């Protein structure tokens, strides 16, 4: 039953992401959808108690990845920008005890696509925050509903 709820939570998370993207971010010429958010959803909904799934790690990891990647893009490293961004992101996340693996993927994406400074906030961090909010609501619903379903 947990596996079904995990999948439902992820579906709800992506529904919230699409709604936020269409009604909040797009009108501002921003977005909150990017590939690393698939991995964020796996952590948040399948492994909510894991250290990498905690809001501090998710938000902190994305803040670190965004800041590091923005600096790397501004330095215009021609060949090894992705390597530098990912390595520095991992180093800082580890030092600050905020390891969140999808943030490493976001660092790669940011540099690979040559994102602008707004990329520090959107789509990665913004999308992660939408998923965290959805997860927190969903976990409360799951805690209330799941025990009742197991009795039947």
């Amino acid at each position: 039953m947990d596996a079904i709820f995990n999948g439902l939570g992820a579906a709800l998370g992506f529904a919230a992401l699409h709604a936020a993207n269409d009604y909040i971010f797009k009108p501002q010429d921003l977005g909150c959808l990017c590939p690393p958010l698939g991995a964020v959803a796996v952590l948040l909904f399948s492994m909510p108690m894991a250290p990498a799934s905690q809001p501090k790690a998710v938000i902190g990891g994305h803040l670190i990845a965004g800041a590091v990647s923005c600096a790397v893009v501004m330095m215009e490293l021609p060949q090894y920008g992705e390597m530098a961004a990912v390595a520095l992101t991992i180093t800082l996340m580890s030092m600050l005890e905020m390891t969140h693996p999808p943030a490493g993927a976001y660092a790669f994406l940011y540099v690979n696509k040559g994102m602008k400074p707004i990329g520090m906030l959107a789509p990665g961090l913004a999308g992660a925050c939408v998923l965290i909010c959805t997860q927190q609501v969903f976990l409360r619903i799951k805690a209330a509903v799941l025990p009742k379903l197991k009795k039947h």
Side-chain angles (χ1 to χ4, degrees):
M1 189 63 87
D2 268 344
I4 293 169
F5 271 89
N6 295 346
L8 288 173
L12 183 62
F14 275 92
L17 274 174
H18 279 278
N21 192 66
D22 292 345
Y23 298 109
I24 298 169
F25 292 97
K26 269 189 183 175
Q28 311 301 319
D29 290 324
L30 297 170
C32 69
L33 297 170
C34 63
L37 295 177
V40 174
V42 170
L43 287 169
L44 291 176
F45 294 100
S46 294
M47 304 168 57
M49 302 310 292
S53 301
Q54 301 312 300
K56 172 188 171 185
V58 178
I59 294 168
H62 277 89
L63 283 170
I64 291 165
V68 165
S69 300
C70 183
V72 168
V73 168
M74 290 175 137
M75 289 190 295
E76 299 179 2
L77 298 175
Q79 281 185 312
Y80 301 106
E82 294 95 344
M83 175 199 67
V86 173
L88 286 169
T89 295
I90 290 169
T91 300
L92 289 172
M93 286 191 304
S94 296
M95 287 173 59
L96 297 170
E97 298 181 0
M98 295 183 195
T99 299
H100 179 66
Y106 188 69
F108 182 93
L109 177 70
Y110 190 118
V111 174
N112 185 265
K113 297 297 179 189
M115 291 183 188
K116 295 183 167 124
I118 193 66
M120 289 188 288
L121 303 176
L125 178 62
C129 287
V130 170
L131 286 174
I132 290 169
C133 291
T134 306
Q135 179 227 32
Q136 293 299 307
V137 170
F138 186 77
L139 288 177
R140 283 163 179 74
I141 294 168
K142 181 179 171 183
V145 172
L146 194 57
K148 292 175 185 175
L149 291 176
K150 286 185 177 180
K151 286 182 183 178
H152 296 286

